[in-house]
Amino acid sequence: MTPTLDQLHEARTAVDTPLFSGLPGDVDVSFEFFPPKTEKMEEQLWDAVQQLKPLAPSFVSVTYGAGGSTRERTHATVARIISEANMPAAAHLTCVGASKAEIREVAEQYWEAGVRHIVALRGDAGEPGAPFTPHPEGFATAADLVAGLKEIADFDISVAAYPETHPDADCPQADIDNLKRKLDAGASRAISQFFFSADKFFAFRDQLAASGIEQPVLPGILPVTNVAQARKFAGACGAEIPEWMDGLFEGLDAKPAARKLVAATVAAELCRRLYAGGVRDFHFYTLNRPELAYAICHMLGKRPVGGIA
């Protein structure tokens, strides 16, 4: 009987070299956290920072709530990471709900606190589906924000990229053109929104090269333990959740440990495919839970500096 294509693929899988065999650990990693709302959450965040610090991340970033709702907590968290953990930390900053003068004040406070890296974002209105409306005395676009920050101080600036196109963009090329404007305004790199298909990232990378973009784009990796929550995130940024992911997590609602194992496996395989395609720099959306990011980094060959976990 002649084997089907699926059978041939399975047979090849049976004899392939293990995905994570012999990786040299030649990757750079960075991690995103969100600012804590309570004392307990602050303890959880600090534990996450301490667990991931031995991996010597190139930087960690701290998010900024819609409309500047977490401005003070973001500032305090970034300042503490720099002063107490001695790690390079980037603060998120958005255009939402702030005048140029207010953004200047925030940026100057960051600089005084030792922050040299800003993740500059247009930001969203806060309500799902609500259109972005710039502050009448503020920056209208992320590119304008980047240019404005560069006038304040010589910040290292990262911006956002969307492998599956931002929902507000007219078309993929318009989205890429917007990314180029942000980079041309002075950004050093882009961090991608999360995605679940290596092929889509590679296609996006090719499109960027064809558009003359040479700055690095770090793939954003989100280990998913809650598909419903991930769909909510995806709806706001244009990412696609593959149908097969629902099946993997089905029946695990009451089994958190199993969900974590599945999540780490899925994200690690994506990272391995990206690695095979030449990616050596990964950015992890940790949701302040370090275990999955740490496990994935370990599978990619990343080890604690000095061998201390």
Side-chain angles (χ1 to χ4, degrees), residues 6-31:
D6 286 344
Q7 289 171 333
L8 288 172
H9 184 270
E10 277 297 295
R12 175 61 185 271
T13 301
V15 297
D16 270 347
T17 302
L19 277 177
F20 299 96
S21 172
L23 294 183
D26 57 338
V27 296
D28 291 316
V29 297
S30 53
F31 306 105

Side-chain angles (χ1 to χ4, degrees), residues 14-285:
V15 297
D16 270 347
T17 302
L19 277 177
F20 299 96
S21 172
L23 294 183
D26 57 338
V27 296
D28 291 316
V29 297
S30 53
F31 306 105
E32 179 185 286
F33 305 112
F34 62 84
K37 296 180 180 179
T38 65
E39 186 174 325
K40 182 178 180 180
M41 291 175 68
E42 184 171 358
E43 292 176 0
Q44 179 184 2
L45 167 61
W46 202 245
D47 178 66
V49 169
Q50 295 299 328
Q51 287 195 48
L52 295 172
K53 178 181 177 179
L55 296 179
S58 51
F59 67 92
V60 301
S61 67
V62 181
T63 61
Y64 191 81
S69 59
T70 65
R71 179 183 302 171
E72 290 77 15
R73 292 198 301 273
T74 297
H75 186 282
T77 301
V78 172
R80 186 182 180 192
I81 290 173
I82 291 173
S83 63
E84 295 185 32
N86 296 313
M87 295 169 66
H92 288 219
L93 190 57
T94 75
C95 301
V96 178
S99 67
K100 293 179 181 179
E102 289 171 324
I103 287 177
R104 170 177 283 275
E105 181 182 359
V106 171
E108 289 175 346
Q109 290 173 352
Y110 279 143
W111 189 267
E112 291 173 4
V115 178
R116 298 294 181 264
H117 186 173
I118 298 286
V119 180
L121 309 165
R122 187 201 70 178
D124 297 315
E127 293 295 327
F132 170 77
T133 303
H135 188 284
E137 298 176 1
F139 294 106
T141 67
D144 292 338
L145 175 59
V146 171
L149 289 170
K150 279 295 188 179
E151 292 178 358
I152 297 169
D154 189 22
F155 286 108
D156 180 18
I157 299 177
S158 297
V159 293
Y162 298 85
E164 296 172 270
T165 306
H166 192 283
D168 289 351
D170 294 333
C171 64
Q173 187 58 49
D175 199 27
I176 291 174
D177 292 342
N178 185 53
L179 173 59
K180 191 172 191 307
R181 285 191 291 271
K182 293 187 285 188
L183 294 167
D184 289 346
S188 303
R189 74 191 60 75
I191 301 171
S192 91
Q193 188 50 261
F194 65 85
F195 58 92
F196 300 101
S197 167
D199 288 347
K200 288 185 177 179
F201 183 81
F202 295 144
F204 180 63
R205 189 174 62 180
D206 290 345
Q207 292 165 350
L208 298 184
S211 296
I213 293 175
E214 299 179 350
Q215 292 91 333
V217 178
L218 281 56
I221 307 299
L222 176 67
V224 173
T225 57
N226 184 321
V227 177
Q229 183 186 47
R231 288 195 185 282
K232 182 179 178 181
F233 292 159
C237 67
E240 179 182 348
I241 306 290
E243 292 183 2
W244 53 261
M245 193 172 286
D246 285 308
L248 281 180
F249 288 93
E250 185 178 357
L252 299 180
D253 290 348
K255 298 182 181 297
R259 282 205 316 273
K260 285 184 179 181
L261 288 172
V262 173
T265 300
V266 172
E269 181 179 330
L270 172 61
C271 290
R272 182 63 179 91
R273 292 180 183 277
L274 293 169
Y275 183 94
V279 174
R280 294 295 183 272
D281 206 338
F282 298 86
H283 185 74
F284 292 91
Y285 298 109

